[in-house]
Amino acid sequence: MQKSHELIVRATDIVSGVFAEVTLSIGVEDANDCYPHIETDNYNITLPENLPLGSQVLKINASDCDSDANSVLSFHIDATNGDRDSELFYIDVADGSIYLKHQLNYEECKSYLLIIKVKDHGTPSLTSRANVWIKVKDLNDNIPKFVEPSFSSKLSVNASRGQFVTRASAYDDDECDSGKLKYKIVDGNDYQIYNIEESTGIIVLQNNQRLESYKQSILNISVTDGLHISFARVKINLLPENMHSPIFESSVYEVHVNENEKQNTLILTVKAIDHDFGKYGSIYYDIPCNDMASIFRIDNMTGSIYSKIPLDREQRQLYEILVKATDGGGKFSYSFVRLKVDDVNDNVPYFQLNEYKLILKDDIAINTVVAQVSLFIFKF
């Protein structure tokens, strides 16, 4: 469009034909009648979430067909995700370059919509708008985390191979790592008793041959996304089962005791072993025979046997005591205690008569037996 025009104006005398001319210059004053033109109505870009602050994101190109002040443009961010104030981006008012002023975080916001406003400096000012669609690219910038710092589980000592124990779950805030976490037991898994599924974190019983030896196991486990790694602890406690009966160290105990020992004298201590644990490994001792229970007593917890009365060898020399051991689940076994009472010198000898009278011939020979005296033991 031309900004000025020159016209030649001629005046002619219609009789004589004489004329005169004059040059007329016409200047065209621009009116602000053109809107700013943006190269596209919609921009689509993708930015990595670790883009450094101050990086140029995009440049908005626009023009205006008007002239002078009417063609001078300024650029503004009208809204970011509907918010008038943009904390993440700013735009160079003069040239339309958009810069990052705050760190992006995919986990906080995956996309942004910037409405860019371009206006001229005419009067009145005219404005055009464009949309900038920004997609944030997820990066592996977060450490995977277990849902709990410590897991606990209980497992029957009678569990079979392949038994589920627990699941150590973890998560990663990075969407790109979803489903890519890998689990591993790094410590505490002696004899490979347990196994963890690499992709799920499910822990199962792998070797039950030595399970009973480990009443409690503490596993240290890890999870990784390929770059970052985290750790947690899994505590596994065994639940007892009554699989074993108590067994005495000896089926028959032989013991000697002097007679006349005072009551509550310790005779001996029997001992039974139960390979179960917990309540099923506890043992209760008793003497089931009433006759023996009237003479002896047994400590139900320790198996120590005591005499209730002093023993007299002259009345009885041998006692056979049946002892029973019962575990917490009702299984039991027996043993015998053969107790021999040893004699002590506790009786006074005495003659049958207080006085013996003999009549001897005067010619009796030397070394002739003249009488036989009987000696008895008197029992008090």
Side-chain angles (χ1 to χ4, degrees), residues 17-35:
V18 176
F19 64 89
E21 293 179 342
V22 64
T23 302
L24 177 62
S25 296
I26 302 173
V28 179
E29 184 175 338
D30 185 34
N32 192 23
D33 56 351
C34 293
Y35 284 84

Side-chain angles (χ1 to χ4, degrees), residues 62-325:
S63 60
D64 195 310
C65 294
D66 293 320
S67 59
D68 300 327
N70 295 332
S71 64
V72 178
L73 304 178
S74 61
F75 300 82
H76 306 274
I77 297 177
D78 197 31
T80 302
N81 285 356
D83 190 352
R84 289 288 179 180
D85 297 321
S86 177
E87 297 181 353
L88 286 171
F89 306 95
Y90 72 91
I91 191 168
D92 188 305
V93 176
D95 73 357
S97 296
I98 300 174
Y99 298 91
L100 182 67
K101 70 175 183 178
H102 192 278
Q103 189 64 56
L104 298 173
N105 190 330
Y106 177 87
E107 287 69 39
E108 292 180 0
C109 188
K110 298 177 175 57
S111 63
Y112 296 91
L113 171 59
L114 275 61
I115 299 178
I116 305 300
K117 179 174 67 175
V118 181
K119 66 176 184 178
D120 60 27
H121 290 191
T123 304
S125 177
L126 299 178
T127 300
S128 296
R129 287 177 172 79
N131 299 321
V132 178
W133 302 89
I134 300 175
K135 182 184 293 184
V136 181
K137 182 180 180 181
D138 189 24
L139 299 176
N140 188 5
D141 60 346
N142 288 288
I143 298 174
K145 298 177 182 178
F146 284 98
V147 296
E148 299 287 346
S150 179
F151 299 87
S152 61
S153 180
K154 295 180 180 179
L155 181 67
S156 171
V157 70
N158 202 25
S160 57
R161 190 173 181 216
Q163 173 68 47
F164 171 84
V165 178
T166 188
R167 181 179 182 182
S169 299
Y171 65 94
D172 195 313
D173 288 329
D174 294 320
E175 190 174 279
C176 61
D177 293 324
S178 178
K180 297 180 181 179
L181 300 182
K182 293 185 177 181
Y183 300 85
K184 184 180 180 181
I185 299 176
V186 296
D187 190 29
N189 192 23
D190 297 336
Y191 301 104
Q192 303 300 306
I193 293 176
Y194 301 100
N195 181 58
I196 189 169
E197 292 183 7
E198 184 181 62
S199 61
T200 64
I202 293 176
I203 298 175
V204 297
L205 178 62
Q206 178 174 260
N207 177 12
N208 59 358
Q209 297 300 313
R210 294 179 175 266
L211 181 62
E212 198 172 346
S213 301
Y214 293 85
K215 307 301 186 295
Q216 183 184 86
S217 298
I218 298 179
L219 308 178
N220 291 320
I221 61 174
S222 68
V223 62
T224 181
D225 58 10
L227 179 62
H228 308 290
I229 188 169
S230 294
F231 298 90
R233 187 178 71 169
V234 178
K235 183 166 65 175
I236 304 170
N237 291 308
L238 288 187
L239 296 175
E241 296 283 351
N242 195 21
M243 299 188 298
H244 304 283
S245 296
I247 301 174
F248 280 97
E249 292 180 335
S250 176
S251 59
V252 178
Y253 293 84
E254 301 278 354
V255 63
H256 290 258
V257 176
N258 289 331
E259 63 175 333
N260 299 328
E261 293 288 350
K262 62 183 180 179
Q263 66 180 26
N264 289 325
T265 296
L266 176 64
I267 305 299
L268 85 161
T269 298
V270 297
K271 185 177 181 182
I273 298 173
D274 195 308
H275 293 293
D276 295 319
F277 63 96
K279 68 176 183 178
Y280 300 120
S282 63
I283 298 177
Y284 177 90
Y285 299 93
D286 72 312
I287 299 174
C289 177
N290 291 334
D291 289 344
M292 292 297 103
S294 65
I295 303 172
F296 304 96
R297 70 175 180 86
I298 188 169
D299 187 305
N300 302 127
M301 297 295 106
T302 65
S304 296
I305 300 175
Y306 301 86
S307 61
K308 286 186 175 182
I309 59 174
L311 304 179
D312 190 340
R313 181 181 179 276
E314 285 67 38
Q315 294 182 3
R316 187 168 180 174
Q317 299 180 17
L318 177 65
Y319 295 88
E320 291 187 337
I321 309 167
L322 180 65
V323 180
K324 181 180 180 182

